[in-house]
Amino acid sequence: MSRHRDIRNLNLADELDDEALSDGGEEEMTPEQQGLHENTILQSVRAELVQAQMNDGLDQVRLVVGDEAQSGLSDNAVRDALWEYYFDVERTIQWAFEERDKIQLAKERKAAKEREKTLKLAQRSAGSSRAATPVGSASKVAKKAPSIGISTPPRKAPVDQQKLDLSGLNLDDNADKSEVTVEEPPKMSLSREKVLEEARRVLDDQEKSAKQRVSIVVIGHVDAGKSTLMGRLLYELGRLDEKTRRANERGSEKIGKSSFSWAWGLDESAEERERGITMDIALQSLETPHRQITVLDAPGHKDFIPNMISGASQADSALLVVDAGVGEFEAGFQRNGQTREHLLLVRSLGVSQVIIAVNKLDQVEWSRSRYEEICGELRPFLTQSGFQPSKTKFVPVAAMEGVNLVGREGPAAAQLSEWYNGPTLVDLLDDLVPPVRDINAPTRIPISNVFRRQSSGVSVTGRVCGGVIQVGEKLRVLPGDETGISFAAIEIDDQPAPWAASGSNISLHLVSIDPVNVNIGSVLCLPTELVPLATVFTARIVVFDIEVPITAGASVELFHHSRDVPATTTKLISIIDRASGKVLKTNPRVLTKGSSAEVQITLRSTQLGGQSTSARGIPLETFSTNKDMGRILLRRGGETIAAGIVLAING
């Protein structure tokens, strides 16, 4: 490592100094010779710098995933990944974990096949052993025995050790099988028509009743207090018990992060708690007087935008948390701030309702002018981003103190009550309008997370983006050829349910399926209603505030639900007027910021570990067929550059 630092600190001017090149007493070089010598030294230094960066990246990856014996990944494979991801250590670590899981699953599959083969051989041996003994031999011996009035004790049959071994393994066909219970997949309790009819009735009843379901994604710039706000809100509503709160408080104080104790209610992983930032989507649920709300707490750090996109694609509405601190709001709202980008992302993913919680007002002495200044900055941008003023609500809060979350009682809220008498955060959450559920559409469930079960099968989480699904119904996983069965009970907000309809965030247990073929970003559908797989498609996009224009042949990252794949804008078809839809220009050379255009996008093949893999189709549908399945995002260089809808699938 010290050698690497020496190279980084190398002064090229000194190294290329004329006196150094003259080598003391030898004759001076000609200009041509000196230039060649300088180029040689520069190339050598560049090579050393690249090698140093490669070694540093390798060391960082190894610290996280372990050595070759632990991870099963060779140094050359890790180096290839670092080179492929431009020395992005985070992406390489993510790749390493995925590869390690694939290797482990492959080993488990191989071991399972070996066990199955061994058991079959043992069963065949048992069958041939039984066939070698004549059935009537014992009776014949009994007939030949003389009857002289003295009872002859029966001779003990020789012990068949193989039978004993097979009996211990429960492989003997004659063994008592009454105690062996085989967990069979459940059968569908209702026909599909009956399920649709019941779903319509329940949804109609929910609209008339006091409890309707709605999901919300919590977004905002890093350190705005999103997890702290939600942790405190869960506590105020009774979803976080006192024992857990005290344990979180003691644990956070122990590692010197006492201010993060409320955030620990959602940030449950050791790495999130140690670093003090949300890295993955945290799923919770809460109840208000008229709503059952599924909460998806999204990360605010720009390095975890893919996870934030995954959460936003599962939400009906958004809660934007902004920091009222002087300079803090401005940092999040500037050009590269996550406040601005998160709002664009959620609107592009179909979210039309947003609540803006102006947090940490207690740190600016509950300044009314500061609150109104922030609201005045955000309102024009919200309108420009496509949010209707009637669907955007503002509320002042202090998450750490719990002020104006559920109520405004106590001395901590006295200053706020002097100038604000509007609704609390819970009041605004209680007024969220659930979207219309399309239960007649084909069933689509994009997978957002995968969990291997200790018993058989695999568990997945995701949002139903159309239709209905019931326990016992066969499902197809695409991409792939696997067909599984939803097992036991579908879970909605950790509660078992016999069926789930469009708009529900669910956990689903699958059996009769190989876990290696179930991946994040895959889509579950009915075998009779397969989702199309696309490698080339036409989309209408809106270009965001970018500095480098989009050109034909530009490399981008395509995001669709929880999947991101490399792609290319192979053709710029036309520039369109956003208001009227009229074509303004055909075959444009570039797309600049603010423009709306039709483009052709092609998935790009990748090269990893020295091998090129052809592009594999991803589950897509046109926006006119399924709105949730027809939305896409385009990113480049860690920046979201465009969003749009799928118009047609070309191949």
Side-chain angles (χ1 to χ4, degrees):
M1 296 294 289
S2 60
R3 182 171 67 87
H4 302 161
R5 286 194 293 271
D6 292 340
I7 293 170
R8 292 195 190 95
N9 299 326
L10 190 64
N11 191 330
L12 295 179
D14 292 342
E15 292 295 326
L16 301 176
D17 189 34
D18 288 339
E19 293 183 3
L21 292 172
S22 67
D23 198 21
E26 295 183 5
E27 293 183 3
E28 293 187 0
M29 297 182 181
T30 65
E32 292 79 4
Q33 292 174 328
Q34 185 173 341
L36 289 173
H37 192 64
E38 290 176 0
N39 287 336
T40 302
I41 292 178
L42 284 171
Q43 290 175 3
S44 177
V45 169
R46 289 193 187 101
E48 289 281 0
L49 288 173
V50 170
Q51 186 62 39
Q53 192 173 6
M54 179 69 75
N55 291 336
D56 283 349
L58 179 62
D59 291 340
Q60 293 180 55
V61 174
R62 286 300 186 198
L63 282 174
V64 177
V65 303
D67 57 18
E68 184 172 350
Q70 294 172 321
S71 63
L73 301 172
S74 65
D75 287 350
N76 288 336
V78 177
R79 289 192 183 98
D80 288 341
L82 283 166
W83 185 260
E84 174 70 19
Y85 296 127
Y86 301 98
F87 300 103
D88 188 333
V89 175
E90 292 283 349
R91 291 287 303 276
T92 306
I93 290 173
Q94 182 180 356
W95 166 85
F97 281 136
E98 292 174 356
E99 288 296 310
R100 189 179 66 178
D101 290 343
K102 289 179 182 178
I103 292 171
Q104 183 63 28
L105 285 172
K107 288 181 179 178
E108 291 178 0
R109 289 180 63 191
K110 184 177 180 181
K113 288 181 179 179
E114 290 294 332
R115 287 195 299 269
E116 184 179 357
K117 184 178 179 181
T118 303
L119 293 178
K120 287 182 178 178
L121 289 174
Q123 286 177 329
R124 290 173 186 171
S125 299
S128 61
S129 175
R130 286 190 297 272
T133 304
V135 177
S137 60
S139 59
K140 290 179 181 178
V141 171
K143 289 179 181 178
K144 290 181 180 179
S147 178
I148 55 175
I150 302 175
S151 61
T152 305
R155 291 185 301 171
K156 291 186 177 179
V159 176
D160 190 338
Q161 186 62 41
Q162 189 179 37
K163 276 195 173 184
L164 287 177
D165 294 340
L166 293 174
S167 177
L169 291 172
N170 292 325
L171 297 177
D172 193 348
D173 291 342
N174 295 327
D176 184 10
K177 298 181 181 179
S178 60
E179 298 181 359
V180 180
T181 57
V182 179
E183 196 174 33
E184 294 187 2
K187 300 193 182 295
M188 293 188 296
S189 57
L190 297 173
S191 65
R192 187 154 189 81
E193 292 75 16
K194 292 288 185 181
V195 172
L196 285 170
E197 183 180 339
E198 184 176 345
R200 291 191 194 97
R201 179 181 56 79
V202 171
L203 292 175
D204 289 342
D205 291 343
Q206 286 180 356
E207 290 181 4
K208 300 173 184 177
S209 67
K211 292 287 184 182
Q212 295 187 54
R213 288 191 178 275
V214 65
S215 58
I216 188 167
V217 61
V218 186
I219 59 174
H221 194 65
V222 64
D223 291 335
K226 300 182 294 297
S227 298
T228 298
L229 184 147
M230 294 313 302
R232 184 63 190 254
L233 182 62
L234 290 171
Y235 176 74
E236 296 288 341
L237 293 175
R239 292 285 298 167
L240 184 68
D241 57 73
E242 184 66 23
K243 181 180 178 180
T244 304
R245 187 196 70 81
R246 290 178 181 272
N248 291 343
E249 190 174 19
R250 288 193 300 269
S252 59
E253 288 177 353
K254 188 176 180 179
I255 64 172
K257 296 182 181 291
S258 58
S259 62
F260 293 98
S261 63
W262 290 113
W264 280 25
L266 288 98
D267 296 341
E268 297 181 348
S269 72
E271 189 174 3
E272 286 180 320
R273 293 183 172 186
E274 184 178 347
R275 295 179 61 175
I277 59 173
T278 302
M279 300 169 63
D280 205 349
I281 293 294
L283 192 66
Q284 280 286 357
S285 61
L286 55 86
E287 287 191 22
T288 64
H290 301 93
R291 297 289 181 268
Q292 290 180 330
I293 301 175
T294 300
V295 178
L296 301 114
D297 184 31
H301 199 282
K302 63 180 181 180
D303 289 347
F304 304 107
I305 282 289
N307 294 342
M308 179 267 162
I309 293 173
S310 175
S313 64
Q314 303 175 58
D316 302 318
S317 51
L319 171 61
L320 173 68
V321 182
V322 298
D323 190 340
V326 177
E328 298 299 327
F329 167 73
E330 287 75 12
F333 195 58
Q334 65 185 2
R335 188 179 180 280
N336 294 321
Q338 298 310 297
T339 300
R340 181 183 294 266
E341 184 172 10
H342 282 196
L343 281 172
L344 288 171
L345 288 174
V346 296
R347 186 66 192 97
S348 302
L349 291 170
V351 173
S352 59
Q353 301 177 88
V354 61
I355 298 171
I356 299 93
V358 183
N359 191 25
K360 303 184 183 180
L361 269 174
D362 54 325
Q363 297 183 9
V364 292
E365 304 297 329
W366 294 103
S367 171
R368 181 176 184 176
S369 61
R370 178 61 173 167
Y371 172 73
E372 292 177 346
E373 177 189 359
I374 291 172
C375 296
E377 289 278 348
L378 283 171
R379 282 193 179 99
F381 182 76
L382 288 165
T383 303
Q384 179 186 352
S385 301
F387 291 98
Q388 297 180 11
S390 61
K391 294 185 177 182
T392 57
K393 307 293 182 182
F394 291 83
V395 58
V397 298
M400 288 291 290
E401 302 295 329
V403 175
N404 209 36
L405 300 183
V406 178
R408 287 192 296 275
E409 296 80 13
Q415 287 181 276
L416 175 63
S417 299
E418 292 177 2
W419 56 269
Y420 181 81
N421 59 0
T424 63
L425 177 59
V426 166
D427 293 335
L428 294 179
L429 292 174
D430 199 49
D431 287 337
L432 289 172
V433 180
V436 178
R437 313 295 188 187
D438 188 4
I439 63 173
N440 294 314
T443 301
R444 303 286 185 258
I445 309 174
I447 297 174
S448 60
N449 221 330
V450 180
F451 307 94
R452 281 186 296 170
R453 300 169 63 197
Q454 292 182 350
S455 57
S456 61
V458 61
S459 296
V460 300
T461 60
R463 174 183 171 88
V464 184
C465 292
V468 295
I469 176 68
Q470 67 169 315
V471 171
E473 198 159 23
K474 287 189 177 182
L475 297 174
R476 175 80 175 268
V477 181
L478 288 174
D481 298 324
E482 288 286 336
T483 301
I485 299 176
S486 57
F487 182 69
I490 300 166
E491 292 183 6
I492 303 176
D493 295 335
D494 297 328
Q495 298 297 321
W499 54 267
S502 176
S504 302
N505 297 85
I506 65 172
S507 295
L508 194 63
H509 308 305
L510 304 176
V511 295
S512 305
I513 193 167
D514 193 338
V516 77
N517 294 321
V518 183
N519 301 304
I520 294 175
S522 297
V523 173
L524 296 172
C525 57
L526 298 179
T528 56
E529 301 172 340
L530 299 182
V531 60
L533 296 178
T535 55
V536 183
F537 61 93
T538 303
R540 179 177 296 171
I541 63 171
V542 175
V543 182
F544 294 155
D545 185 13
I546 58 175
E547 294 181 349
V548 180
I550 300 175
T551 60
S555 297
V556 295
E557 276 188 283
L558 173 68
F559 283 78
H560 179 257
H561 286 278
S562 299
R563 180 185 293 272
D564 62 294
V565 293
T568 303
T569 53
T570 48
K571 186 178 180 182
L572 308 183
I573 300 172
S574 61
I575 295 178
I576 300 170
D577 181 78
R578 295 178 64 178
S580 64
K582 181 181 178 181
V583 175
L584 302 178
K585 185 178 182 181
T586 58
N587 299 322
R589 294 181 60 188
V590 297
L591 300 179
T592 56
K593 65 178 181 180
S595 59
S596 178
E598 284 190 15
V599 299
Q600 186 182 79
I601 298 174
T602 304
L603 303 191
R604 196 169 69 246
S605 60
T606 57
Q607 181 144 0
L608 195 61
Q611 295 182 350
S612 179
T613 57
S614 59
R616 191 179 186 186
I618 64 171
L620 273 182
E621 286 191 285
T622 60
F623 185 75
S624 59
T625 303
N626 188 314
K627 291 184 178 180
D628 289 336
M629 293 293 296
R631 289 189 174 94
I632 59 166
L633 291 170
L634 300 180
R635 304 191 84 230
R636 179 181 61 190
E639 177 187 19
T640 305
I641 61 173
I645 59 175
V646 178
L647 298 179
I649 296 174
N650 308 120

